[in-house]
Amino acid sequence: QVHLVETGGGLVQPGGSLRLACTVSGRTGRDYAMGWFRQVPGKEREFVVAMSMNGARRAYADPVKGRFTISKDNAKNTVYLQMDSLKPEDTAVYYCVSSRGNPILSTLRKVETYGYWGQGTQVTVSS
């Protein structure tokens, strides 16, 4: 059974940085994608970033380009989300996701691509 565990959320001032980590268990090989969505109360889940675990594809949402970076450590089955220059509008619950199959680039941003979700971690950007 696939299981995702997220760590690293918290409170940070505007302009600050945080790093989230997500470790996956129950998967084999590298033919799947992992990434992050976020959600604020009253709104739908929003795509943030995703990458294929074989490194072939990567996608970022426009609001986070140039500020957020996704990376992976295959040996640890972990993906990281480095978030820099954080803004109050980045405040949300961040969910780690993993796809069932090996999605193409055009589907990396779609919520229906991901069959596995973590429990979510709160990120609050406030002074």
Side-chain angles (χ1 to χ4, degrees), residues 10-16 18 86-91 123-127:
L11 172 65
V12 64
Q13 292 187 344
L18 279 176
L86 281 160
K87 304 175 181 180
E89 51 263 43
D90 294 318
T91 296
V123 171
T124 302
V125 184
S126 175
S127 55

Side-chain angles (χ1 to χ4, degrees), residues 8-112:
L11 172 65
V12 64
Q13 292 187 344
S17 298
L18 279 176
R19 189 176 79 155
L20 306 182
C22 177
T23 300
V24 60
S25 58
R27 301 218 64 156
T28 59
R30 295 286 178 257
D31 290 334
Y32 61 95
M34 290 187 67
W36 302 84
F37 280 71
R38 65 188 182 186
Q39 189 173 28
V40 298
K43 293 189 176 182
E44 293 185 353
R45 290 185 180 185
E46 174 189 29
F47 170 76
V48 178
V49 61
M51 69 183 299
S52 56
M53 293 303 281
N54 61 17
R57 290 169 288 276
R58 192 171 305 202
Y60 288 89
D62 287 344
V64 307
K65 280 181 180 178
R67 300 188 299 120
F68 290 12
T69 303
I70 189 171
S71 62
K72 62 184 176 72
D73 185 334
N74 286 340
K76 296 182 178 180
N77 291 328
T78 299
V79 292
Y80 302 96
L81 179 60
Q82 177 65 40
M83 303 184 291
D84 299 317
S85 302
L86 281 160
K87 304 175 181 180
E89 51 263 43
D90 294 318
T91 296
V93 176
Y94 283 71
Y95 294 92
C96 178
V97 296
S98 184
S99 64
R100 294 188 184 276
N102 193 15
I104 58 176
L105 182 60
S106 62
T107 62
L108 277 177
R109 293 177 172 84
K110 298 182 179 182
V111 65
E112 55 266 30

